[in-house]
């Protein structure tokens, strides 16, 4: 123990001298490195899964072969393994315990795609902070999140894990999660390290099939896929995870341009990069390395510091160094980055799980925040006036396979969620139902893929006795997430038929969707009088559903992703290019296609013959129980220079009869630039809460530097010229003005 005294003292001091932090961290790291053997160093680049034979794990720790362990969620096991690392391993360096904490730890929050619908940076940040409190309580100090892959293909199961299609929204929200996880200081024992993943382009998997090849050209990487990652670097994210995909022929984990030239040299990232699961070894099936030894060399030299689970570094680096194929400098740099993170997290002076007198897990405040976020994440897509349910509703029929699906409503990556702690809609409605209101619950389909219609007759009979029918439909947890992509995005099983049966009774039908992605829901929307989209809402889904349906909360969510009319429209997203043949007013109806006429009679626009080119529902769209009106758009800065901000004011009035929240969205667009540009791009938004009748002026600020893009010569920057500014309540329509950027 004595030999570590200096290190501990240095580390202890660090906690009290934040300003000297960088130098202090480096001093501590150098001190540790000076007494590490090559084997110790290689061990620090190795991460294992703890869900295995623990005797073997202990043995590896004793040999100094384990730097990080994921997937152990028992504080006493964590502490006992840590004790072995600290007291028995050759270097005494503590282990970094990690977990996929993607949307909540024990208290499961809505899936990230759902959270994005809230457009509420502050609330997402506090919910993420609560997640860190829950996770650090049992010793997890590193979360593999936020996932910030821009996704424009709802077939891709992992669309659930990110913040949708827009780089600006995803950047802001990813930063909120980083701040929530990491707090003001990583060394705070309530903080855990975040991990920006998956770097990069993973969301562009061809055909929406997970792990598939991507072809994202450099220009689109910079314009669309990189921004959230860069924003996280600026926000101080502690780590990055490389992605599984090969982009333009190069697997990300072995891509030196990506992991070193862009991430470190250009953006100045000083943290640590971990591979994705086995993705160092993944270079072999990708076909760019003949064995793990070659893969280890390629990936370490590319800038991937820690090997998650492929054992390529552990088993090959020593030989590679001995043979002179990998330099000691490269190994040392990677080890430094790993150790820096451990030091910054305060692991050296406090390696063990913090002691708490009172658990925050499922505490009132944590659940309350989760519930609020779930309410704000829910998007009201249609309302003929039936919602919120009023006092005239005396009998309610609740049905559908998601009405009481505690497991499924938690969604993908709810590893530590507990269905016993999850409140389902039917439970919440039962618990809260106003006196004098009767609930009829009919379990008409056991689960979303259930193909049996046996109960539909009884369902219709019961429905006729009700004043309103509430159907909870959607997808099982198993339908989205990693390696869970779909080609058909319609409701599965007999769910649509169930909705038809309900609608045929003539009773008002409210359809609530719980799903991991935008589904194809055009006909279900037609059948329904009101539609609420709750994504996979997590632990508090039931309570939030009750609050929203009965008007205890007012929906305010906005779509973070475009809803297609059918799968054939995919990829479809709002910030597309103009094209030379822009589609206008095209219906897309095969019945209107004439027979045996010259091709040109149909015109020449970028559209389809059989479906409109427009989406079913646009990005940014979402209704409320009240209405809002925007007026008086003023651009305070009609002419700006490169270092300025465009400052915009708009009046927002709540024109309805109850309090509500609107998300005011500002988009910019250009008619002419050195490259083709999106028609419009979100550049600012603000959530505003207004009482009935209240009017407020909202100020939006767009720093000119945020108008930068990858110019024709591939340099990053702005270009002078005229800009169109649209301020509205979705990506469609809005008030229009202009400003000019002068150089
Ligand atoms: C593979 C997934 O792609 C990644 O997101 C996750 O963090 C790792 N497995 C660890 O479980």
């Amino acid at each position: 123990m004595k030999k570590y005294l200096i290190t501990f003292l240095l580390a202890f001091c660090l906690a009290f001298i934040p300003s000297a932090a960088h130098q202090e961290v480096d001093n501590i790291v150098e001190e540790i490195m000076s007494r590490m053997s090559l084997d110790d160093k290689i061990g620090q680049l190795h991460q294992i899964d703890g869900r295995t034979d623990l005797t073997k794990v202990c043995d590896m720790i004793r040999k100094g072969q384990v730097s990080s362990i994921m997937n152990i969620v028992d504080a006493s096991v964590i502490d006992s393994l840590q004790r072995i690392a600290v007291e028995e391993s050759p270097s005494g360096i503590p282990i970094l315990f990690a977990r996929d904490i993607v949307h909540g730890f024990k208290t499961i929050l809505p899936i990230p795609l759902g959270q994005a619908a809230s457009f509420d940076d502050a609330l997402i940040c506090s919910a993420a902070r609560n997640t860190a409190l829950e996770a650090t309580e049992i010793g997890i100090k590193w979360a593999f999140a936020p996932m910030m892959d821009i996704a424009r293909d709802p077939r891709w199961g992992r669309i659930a894990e990110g913040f949708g299609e827009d780089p600006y929204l995803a950047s802001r929200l990813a930063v909120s999660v980083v701040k929530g996880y990491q707090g003001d200081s990583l060394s705070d024992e309530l903080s855990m390290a975040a991990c920006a993943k998956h770097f990069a382009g993973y969301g562009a998997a061809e055909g929406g099939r997970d792990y598939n090849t991507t072809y994202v050209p450099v220009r689109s990487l910079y314009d669309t896929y990189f921004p959230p990652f860069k924003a996280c670097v600026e926000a101080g994210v502690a780590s990055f995870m490389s992605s599984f995909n090969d982009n333009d022929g190069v697997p990300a984990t072995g891509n030196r341009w990506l992991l070193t030239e862009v991430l470190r040299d250009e953006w100045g990232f000083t943290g640590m990069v971990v591979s994705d699961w086995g993705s160092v070894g993944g270079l072999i099936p990708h076909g760019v390395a003949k064995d793990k030894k070659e893969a280890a060399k390629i990936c370490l030299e590319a800038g991937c510091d820690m090997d998650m689970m492929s054992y390529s570094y552990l088993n090959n680096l020593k030989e590679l160094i001995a043979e002179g194929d990998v330099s000691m400098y490269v190994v040392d740099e990677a080890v430094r980055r790993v150790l820096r993170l451990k030091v910054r997290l305060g692991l050296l002076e406090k390696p063990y799980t913090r002691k708490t007198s009172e658990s925050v897990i499922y505490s009132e405040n944590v659940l309350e925040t989760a519930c609020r976020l779930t309410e704000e994440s829910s998007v009201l897509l249609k309302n003929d006036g039936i919602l919120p349910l009023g006092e005239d509703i005396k009998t309610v029929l609740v049905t559908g396979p998601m009405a009481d699906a505690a497991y499924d409503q938690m969604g993908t990556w709810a590893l530590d969620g507990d269905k016993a702690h999850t409140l389902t809609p039917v439970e919440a409605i039962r618990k809260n139902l106003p006196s004098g209101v009767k609930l009829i619950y009919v379990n008409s389909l056991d689960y979303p893929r259930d193909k049996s219609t046996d109960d539909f007759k009884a369902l219709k009979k019961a429905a006729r006795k009700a004043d309103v029918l509430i159907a909870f439909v959607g997808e099982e947890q198993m339908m989205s997430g990693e390696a869970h992509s779909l080609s058909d995005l319609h409701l599965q099983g007999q769910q649509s038929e169930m909705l038809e049966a309900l609608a045929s009774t003539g009773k008002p039908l409210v359809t609530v969707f719980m799903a991991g992605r935008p589904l194809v829901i055009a006909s279900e929307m037609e059948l329904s009088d009101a539609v609420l989209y709750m994504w996979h809402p997590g632990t508090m889904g039931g309570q939030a559903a009750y609050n929203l349906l009965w008007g205890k909360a007012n929906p305010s969510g906005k779509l973070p992703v475009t809803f297609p009319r059918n799968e054939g429209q995919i990829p479809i997203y709002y910030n597309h290019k103009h094209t030379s043949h822009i589609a206008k007013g095209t219906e897309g109806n095969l019945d209107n296609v004439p027979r045996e006429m010259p091709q040109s009679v149909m015109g020449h626009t970028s559209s389809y013959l059989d479906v409109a080119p427009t989406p079913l529902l646009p990005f940014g769209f979402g209704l409320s129980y009240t209405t809002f009106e925007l007026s008086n758009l003023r651009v305070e800065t009609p002419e700006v220079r490169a270092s300025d901000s465009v400052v915009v004011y708009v009046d927002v009035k709540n024109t309805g009869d109850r309090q509500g929240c609107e998300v005011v969205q500002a988009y910019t667009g250009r008619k002419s630039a050195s490259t083709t540009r999106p028609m419009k791009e979100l550049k600012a938004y603000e959530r505003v809460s207004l009482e009935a009748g209240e009017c407020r002026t909202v100020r939006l600020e767009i720093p000119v530097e945020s108008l930068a893009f990858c110019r024709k010569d591939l340099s990053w920057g702005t270009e002078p010229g005229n800009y169109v500014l649209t301020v509205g309540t979705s990506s469609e329509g809005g008030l229009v003005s202009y400003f000019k950027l002068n150089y």
Side-chain angles (χ1 to χ4, degrees):
M1 201 64 188
K2 210 167 133 204
K3 65 178 174 178
Y4 305 122
L5 195 63
I6 307 173
T7 317
F8 289 140
L9 281 175
L10 281 168
F12 185 75
C13 294
L14 174 69
F16 299 97
I17 338 171
S19 55
H22 277 311
Q23 194 49 53
E24 289 295 328
V25 170
D26 286 348
N27 293 346
I28 297 165
V29 168
E30 292 312 316
E31 196 281 323
I32 303 170
M33 291 207 26
S34 68
R35 53 187 166 74
M36 286 172 83
S37 68
L38 177 57
D39 286 325
D40 295 340
K41 287 179 179 174
I42 293 172
Q44 284 306 307
L45 306 181
H46 184 52
Q47 183 182 52
I48 60 166
D49 183 13
R51 293 168 300 186
T52 176
D53 175 2
L54 277 185
T55 325
K56 226 166 113 190
V57 172
C58 296
D59 200 41
M60 287 180 74
I61 299 173
R62 280 191 190 95
K63 290 188 191 142
Q65 295 180 333
V66 181
S67 179
S68 171
I69 304 182
M70 56 185 158
N71 298 328
I72 295 186
V73 284
D74 179 325
S76 60
V77 178
I78 285 182
D79 280 347
S80 54
L81 296 179
Q82 193 69 294
R83 201 165 298 284
I84 298 175
V86 172
E87 295 179 4
E88 299 178 45
S89 79
S91 66
I93 299 168
I95 289 167
L96 179 49
F97 288 92
R99 184 74 161 162
D100 282 289
I101 303 176
V102 179
H103 54 112
F105 178 56
K106 289 283 186 188
T107 302
I108 301 299
L109 304 168
I111 53 169
L113 187 62
Q115 294 183 37
S118 74
F119 281 64
D120 193 337
D121 309 38
L123 187 56
I124 288 174
C125 184
S126 25
R129 190 69 191 151
N130 288 343
T131 299
L133 302 190
E134 285 195 342
T136 55
E137 190 173 310
I138 66 109
I140 306 292
K141 293 296 280 177
W142 187 17
F144 297 139
M147 190 279 225
M148 58 197 72
D149 296 307
I150 297 300
R152 293 169 168 185
D153 190 333
R155 293 172 299 180
W156 190 48
R158 302 197 82 169
I159 195 172
E161 293 176 50
F163 301 112
E165 73 188 31
D166 181 65
Y168 177 76
L169 178 64
S171 301
R172 278 182 57 166
L173 302 185
V175 164
S176 296
V177 174
V178 170
K179 286 185 179 157
Y181 283 180
Q182 299 192 172
D184 292 333
S185 163
L186 269 185
S187 65
D188 181 342
E189 54 181 359
L190 305 177
S191 294
M192 60 184 179
C195 183
K197 74 183 189 185
H198 309 84
F199 197 53
Y202 183 40
E206 283 181 2
R209 265 192 306 121
D210 200 14
Y211 312 126
N212 205 4
T213 292
T214 62
Y215 179 66
V216 187
V218 172
R219 189 182 305 287
S220 313
L221 283 174
Y222 275 95
D223 283 343
T224 305
Y225 292 87
F226 280 170
F229 290 98
K230 182 153 187 266
C232 284
V233 171
E234 284 157 11
V237 71
S239 69
F240 259 61
M241 186 187 291
S242 63
S243 55
F244 284 126
N245 58 302
D246 63 313
N247 187 51
D248 191 16
V250 187
T253 309
N255 189 336
R256 190 179 153 79
W257 172 76
L258 195 63
L259 303 185
T260 298
E261 290 172 35
V262 174
L263 180 60
R264 296 200 165 103
D265 302 347
E266 206 178 300
W267 298 348
F269 177 65
T270 54
M272 187 250 270
V273 175
V274 64
S275 75
D276 202 341
W277 185 292
S279 70
V280 173
L283 263 60
I284 304 167
H286 266 303
V288 296
K290 61 177 178 311
D291 52 23
K292 287 195 176 178
K293 190 170 166 188
E294 190 180 359
K297 174 180 161 61
I298 296 175
C299 295
L300 190 76
E301 289 182 343
C304 174
D305 303 316
M306 188 179 278
D307 175 4
M308 182 194 287
M309 282 307 290
S310 93
Y311 286 70
S312 305
Y313 289 2
L314 190 74
N315 295 336
N316 296 291
L317 280 182
K318 202 166 179 184
E319 211 173 291
L320 282 164
I321 289 163
E323 290 164 0
D325 270 349
V326 165
S327 81
M328 204 50 221
Y329 173 80
V330 180
V331 174
D332 279 345
E333 280 296 287
V335 174
R336 268 187 195 104
R337 290 192 280 256
V338 172
L339 293 182
R340 242 182 248 141
L341 177 56
K342 293 190 176 185
V343 174
R344 288 178 67 208
L345 278 166
L347 274 183
L348 273 89
E349 72 270 25
K350 287 186 181 159
Y352 302 107
T353 304
R354 70 183 157 85
K355 301 282 166 278
T356 64
S357 48
E358 220 176 302
S359 172
V360 292
I361 292 172
Y362 302 127
S363 63
E364 204 182 320
N365 169 49
V366 169
L367 292 177
E368 202 273 324
T369 305
C371 188
R372 207 145 46 85
L373 185 52
T374 315
E375 288 162 8
E376 289 192 11
S377 299
S378 304
V379 190
L380 183 64
L381 299 180
K382 177 176 179 182
N383 189 11
D384 287 351
I386 181 72
L387 292 180
L389 301 175
E391 284 171 7
D392 52 324
I393 302 292
K394 295 295 176 209
T395 306
V396 183
L397 175 117
V398 170
T399 190
M402 294 301 286
D404 200 19
Y407 185 80
D408 287 324
Q409 80 177 46
M410 289 190 287
T412 185
W413 285 122
L415 298 179
D416 301 292
D418 179 356
K419 65 180 192 169
H421 276 92
T422 300
L423 201 58
T424 67
V426 80
E427 287 165 351
I429 293 170
R430 211 172 261 142
K431 192 173 106 191
N432 294 288
L433 206 62
S435 66
V437 180
K438 186 175 163 210
L439 167 69
I440 310 172
Y441 172 53
V442 180
N443 180 15
S444 49
L445 291 170
D446 282 341
Y447 64 111
R449 277 175 294 160
D450 190 349
K451 292 195 177 76
S452 153
T453 54
D454 293 355
D455 295 326
F456 284 10
K457 214 162 143 202
L459 176 68
K460 278 166 78 169
K461 193 166 165 210
R464 288 199 188 91
K465 295 187 196 133
D467 300 318
V468 67
L469 318 178
I470 311 177
F472 290 86
V473 296
E475 298 187 299
E476 288 150 64
Q477 179 265 359
M478 285 296 281
M479 290 300 138
S480 60
E482 185 178 349
H484 288 66
S485 296
L486 287 173
S487 65
D488 182 341
L489 304 184
H490 289 82
L491 280 178
Q492 296 170 347
Q494 297 296 316
Q495 296 183 90
S496 300
E497 291 72 6
M498 182 195 78
L499 293 177
E500 276 163 21
L502 291 169
S504 72
T505 64
K507 298 286 180 165
L509 172 62
V510 177
T511 304
V512 182
F513 285 87
M514 291 186 173
R517 57 163 63 77
L519 293 169
V520 168
I521 57 168
S523 47
E524 290 76 9
M525 281 191 69
E526 284 276 307
L527 287 173
S528 311
D529 297 277
V531 175
L532 185 66
Y533 213 88
M534 295 191 71
W535 318 96
H536 280 140
T539 302
M540 296 305 282
Q543 188 61 47
Y546 169 80
N547 292 350
L548 289 163
L549 294 171
W550 268 267
K552 313 286 173 208
N554 191 348
S556 60
K558 298 282 182 173
L559 295 178
V561 64
T562 302
F563 272 50
R565 293 176 193 272
N566 64 22
E567 294 88 344
Q569 286 189 317
I570 297 167
I572 183 167
Y573 47 92
Y574 85 91
N575 35 5
H576 57 82
K577 303 286 185 78
H578 294 258
T579 82
S580 58
H581 290 68
I582 193 158
K584 275 194 198 120
T586 326
E587 290 274 309
N589 184 345
L590 280 185
D591 295 339
N592 296 339
V593 181
R595 295 201 56 229
E596 299 192 4
M597 294 284 279
Q599 289 248 322
S600 56
V601 296
M602 298 294 293
H604 297 92
T605 65
S606 174
S607 50
Y608 298 102
L609 294 177
D610 58 346
V611 68
T614 52
L616 178 70
L617 298 159
F619 175 89
F621 171 80
L623 302 168
S624 161
Y625 295 152
T626 184
T627 45
F628 298 93
E629 207 174 85
L630 265 54
S631 62
N632 202 13
L633 174 64
R634 288 96 78 195
V635 180
E636 192 187 61
T637 52
E639 300 215 4
V640 282
R641 304 194 80 85
S643 56
D644 296 342
S645 281
V646 181
V647 177
V648 177
Y649 293 94
V650 68
D651 296 342
V652 192
K653 184 167 185 193
N654 179 344
T655 48
D657 58 5
R658 55 176 295 158
Q659 179 278 341
C661 268
E662 182 55 281
V663 180
V664 181
Q665 305 159 38
Y667 297 85
T668 61
R670 296 204 62 191
K671 290 244 163 66
S672 160
S674 67
T675 67
T676 60
R677 300 288 302 134
M679 291 183 68
K680 44 165 61 177
E681 294 177 286
L682 184 68
K683 290 294 172 190
Y685 61 80
E686 188 74 35
R687 269 180 72 88
V688 208
S689 168
L690 295 172
E691 294 302 324
E694 188 184 349
C695 181
R696 190 151 353 125
T697 299
V698 172
R699 180 181 188 274
L700 296 159
E701 190 173 328
I702 304 171
V704 170
E705 62 178 16
S706 74
L707 304 174
F709 65 102
C710 192
R711 294 175 290 204
K712 194 170 180 188
D713 62 359
L714 292 182
S715 65
W716 182 255
T718 53
E719 281 178 2
N722 295 319
Y723 287 75
V724 183
L725 174 83
T726 313
V727 177
T729 56
S730 95
S731 59
E732 275 181 11
L735 305 170
V736 178
S737 191
Y738 304 89
F739 64 90
K740 188 171 179 194
L741 170 58
N742 294 319
Y743 267 16

